[in-house]
Structures are given as structure tokens and as C-alpha cells.
Amino acid sequence: MIEALYTKKQIELQQRARALAEQVMRPVAAKHDVEQSFPWEVQAAIRDAGLYGVWIPEQYGGMGGGVLDLCLVVEEFSRACGGMGVAYAVNALGSFPILVGGTDEQKQRWLPRVASGEAMISFGLSEKAAGTDAGSMITRAEKVGNRYLINGEKKWNTGGSVASLNTIFAVTAPGRGARGISGFVVEKGSPGYRVGKHEDKMGIRCVPVVELHLENCEVPPENLLGGAEGHGFKHAMQTLDRARPGVAAQAVGLAQGALDLAMQYTHERQQFGQTIDSFQGVQWMLADMATQIEAARQLVHHAARTIDSGHKQISKLSAMCKLMATDTAMKVTTDCVQLFGGYGFCKDFPIEKYMRDAKITQIYEGTNQVQRLVIARSLLREAASSGGGGEATS
Ligand code: CAA
């Protein structure tokens, strides 16, 4: 980290996150991966360290940081364990809809609970038949008397079974497309709210990814985000614009963590009478990986700073950093496994977990194909607009 580029508060935050990751996360990462169990002791340590409030404004009980602060923490956590990185970051994904679309009363009601770590929060957008095409969701919310009744199923809900709050998107006006979708905060324990199937996953195994079943799920109208119907899709997209750098930071952390292990291993492993890091072929691989990671990290931080600056057009940079950092993570973690040779393919060494954890970063919060779509649409819009005002890139 070039210290002059970050505030004193950000440097301290990063150091705190690194210490917690090394002391609390790394020692239990393999155990929770094997058992596919949620690390409650890690959750308690993050809560006690006050780190759930990083991205939440001070007036709602948070630390008043922004997306860059979030990314610094997520990278450090993911360097030790990618699953624990996303278990933390998903609380930002779940609470951003409240931040971007909630009324002040709603922010006062829920954000302090998230900031203190009392309540974890997840994000319910996708459905079995509505993944990339999020706007084609069929979960329905109908106003019946003095409450909404929500019916449908949500898929790929990261953290859903351990969260007390869930931001759920549902159709309130069928036939109106994206403008007929609304966002709700649904509390665990609401009548008709049930956690379904737990996915058995290749990576990020310590964080539950579940289906949610909503069967005449009763939600008070005060939980309709923003107090008005029809803004849910926009709020979901604005949320993803702010949350995708978090996935990108997770990817940078995974790549850096894998490279750390590869540096150590290649310095110890001897072949032909010398450590393998003395071979130029290995050195070039290490150099390429370090360069790719640093380039990805800087794009993530640039996107995060741009979002924190209040710039209105952030979709392109957000998608670019997610695309680049997660493709980098997949390449770097695969190359690190290669450097470990046969040992890299076996579970005796932690390196294969980095490769497994990295894969999902190219898929969730929008596949990297969707990121390319978002980037291309922005480019075409910029080209079509004669008067400038394009999206931020530099
Ligand atoms: N900000 C604000 N508004 C936006 C927007 C943005 N970034 N993007 C789109 N909108 C608005 C549009 O302006 C439009 O509004 P109007 O109707 O008022 O004109 C409306 O939303 C519809 O926009 P589009 O026509 O562009 O929408 P689309 O149906 O073509 O979809 C898409 C665009 C980019 C493909 C979008 O559906 C998308 O991002 N899909 C991927 C979804 C995704 O990332 N899912 C992951 C969920 S989270 C997860 O992975 C699980 C987890 O728990 C981690």
C-alpha cells in the first residue's frame, strides 16, 4: 500500500482487518471449508472489532467509510479466506438497497443493527429462472389490507440462512417490466418466510448459499423500500454498482493470498539442487502474477473512489473492476496451483481452496458476461451522446 494514497483511518482499518484475518480467520479456514459450516466465531470477532459498520454513515451507527474502506477490509479477509470475505461483504450488498433507496426512517430502523453486527443482512434478487435476466423475476408482492403478501422463491441467496434481515425484490405491478418491481426488507421469522435448500458448493463453502421460500409472507407496508412501489429494479442495479467492487476486492484478496503461498512454497521447494524460485520461468510467473494483482487492485480502488466521490455514472467502472479483478483471480490462483505441482492438486496444502473460492467471483453479482454487457452499453451510450458527460473512467 502506498500510504500517501490513503487516509490514516484507511491504513489503520486495513491493518486491523489484516490482523483479524490472520489471527481469527486463517486458522479455521480449512475446517469450515471441509465442514461447510458458518464461522460464528469469526462473525463475533468482526462484530467485536466494530467492522460491520465500515460502509454505513455515522448517523446510522456506522464508521462513515465508503466503498473504498469496504474494499480494503474485504481484500484482507479474502486473502485469508475467500468464503469469510464474502460472508462479510454480503452485508454491504444486502444493506446498500436501504442506503440507496430507503427512507430516513427505514435507515434509522435497520442500519444501526447491521452496523453493530447485531443483524446480518442478505440480498434476494435472483430466482431459478431469473438470474442474469433479473428483471424477469416472478416473485409477487400484493398489497392485501394493511400488509403485503409476498409469494415466490429466491435463489442463490448468500448468507440467507444466517441473516436476520433480507432485502427481497418482488413484482408489485405485473406487466410493467422493471418499473413494476419493488424492494422490501423482510425480517427472519416473518410469517411465511422459510429457508430452503442449502447449496453444496465448489468454493466459499463456509458461507451458506440458500433458497428462500416466501409463502404468503407477511410484510408491513413500512418495509417497502423508499415507501413507494416500482423503484426496486433501479435500487437493485444501483446496489450492484456499489457492491461489485466488493466482489472485485474479494478477488484481489484471493489472488494475493494465493501468491503469498506460492512465494513461500517456491522458496522452499527444491528441484535440481536449488529452490524453484531461482528458475527464471518461475520468476516470470511470479512477476506476471504480482503485476496483474496490482493492476486489478488499482482499478478496484479507482472505481471505489469514484463511487465514494458521488459521481453519478459508476456502472462502467464498477463492472470493469469486477471483470478484471475476478478474471485475474481465476488466472492467478490457477497458476499458483500449477507452481505447487501435484501438491497443489491435493487438499494437504491450502492453495487449491483459493482456486475453488475464486471461481464464483466470475459468476455472482453478475456474471463477467453481464459485466461486459454493462461496459459495452455504457460505451455505446457515451458514443451516442454528442455533448460529452460520459461515464467516469479516469
Ligand atoms: N442504475 C440505475 N438504473 C438502472 C441501472 C443502473 N446501473 N441499470 C439499469 N437501470 C434502469 C434502466 O434505466 C431502466 O429504467 P427505466 O425502465 O426507467 O428506463 C431499468 O433499470 C431497466 O434497465 P435495462 O432495460 O437496462 O434492464 P435489462 O433487463 O436489460 O437488464 C442487466 C440489465 C444489466 C442485464 C441486469 O439485469 C443485470 O445486471 N443482471 C445481472 C443481475 C445480477 O447481477 N445478479 C446477481 C444477484 S446477487 C448474487 O449474485 C447473489 C448473492 O447473494 C451474492
Side-chain angles (χ1 to χ4, degrees), residues 132 156 158 179 233 237 240-241 244 315 364-366 377:
T132 290
W156 316 125
T158 307
R179 295 181 186 188
F233 192 80
M237 292 300 115
L240 289 166
D241 285 344
R244 284 173 178 155
S315 304
Y364 62 16
E365 291 195 32
R377 281 184 180 183

Side-chain angles (χ1 to χ4, degrees), residues 83-244:
M84 294 177 195
V86 68
Y88 169 79
V90 81
N91 291 281
L93 175 67
S95 58
F96 280 146
I98 304 173
L99 276 163
V100 300
T103 63
D104 189 56
E105 185 277 323
Q106 291 172 332
K107 291 176 187 172
Q108 294 286 1
R109 184 148 43 112
W110 291 306
L111 294 178
R113 290 173 61 192
V114 177
S116 69
E118 175 215 320
M120 285 186 278
I121 182 163
S122 58
F123 182 77
L125 180 70
S126 305
E127 299 178 1
K128 278 182 185 159
T132 290
D133 185 7
S136 68
M137 69 177 65
I138 55 172
T139 292
R140 180 86 166 92
E142 271 181 284
K143 187 102 186 271
V144 180
N146 62 354
R147 69 215 159 139
Y148 279 93
L149 291 182
I150 307 184
N151 281 286
E153 286 177 11
K154 289 292 166 182
K155 186 87 180 157
W156 316 125
N157 196 276
T158 307
S161 58
V162 292
S164 316
L165 303 170
N166 207 315
T167 315
I168 298 286
F169 296 88
V171 177
T172 42
R176 294 209 64 211
R179 295 181 186 188
I181 292 171
S182 303
F184 297 85
V185 173
V186 181
E187 305 232 7
K188 185 181 185 176
S190 300
Y193 177 90
R194 184 170 61 83
V195 174
K197 181 184 175 206
H198 282 60
E199 306 297 341
D200 186 3
K201 310 181 298 305
M202 170 196 282
I204 61 158
R205 286 168 57 81
C206 72
V207 60
V209 173
V210 298
E211 291 178 0
L212 290 179
H213 300 278
L214 303 142
E215 290 148 3
N216 282 329
C217 177
E218 289 183 31
V219 177
E222 301 81 58
N223 291 24
L224 170 66
L225 277 177
E229 294 182 3
H231 302 293
F233 192 80
K234 190 172 154 207
H235 292 159
M237 292 300 115
Q238 290 171 328
T239 290
L240 289 166
D241 285 344
R242 284 157 183 78
R244 284 173 178 155

Side-chain angles (χ1 to χ4, degrees), residues 78-79 81-82 249-259 329 333 354 357-358 361:
S78 305
R79 191 171 174 173
C81 175
Q250 182 201 8
V252 172
L254 278 163
Q256 185 64 60
L259 179 60
T333 55
Y354 281 81
D357 285 352
T361 65

Side-chain angles (χ1 to χ4, degrees), residues 291-319:
T291 305
Q292 289 152 7
I293 294 168
E294 191 56 29
R297 179 182 289 121
Q298 293 313 320
L299 186 55
V300 175
H301 291 190
H302 176 50
R305 281 196 180 96
T306 305
I307 295 168
D308 291 339
S309 76
H311 201 287
K312 295 276 177 269
Q313 306 297 330
I314 54 175
S315 304
K316 184 174 74 179
L317 262 182
S318 169

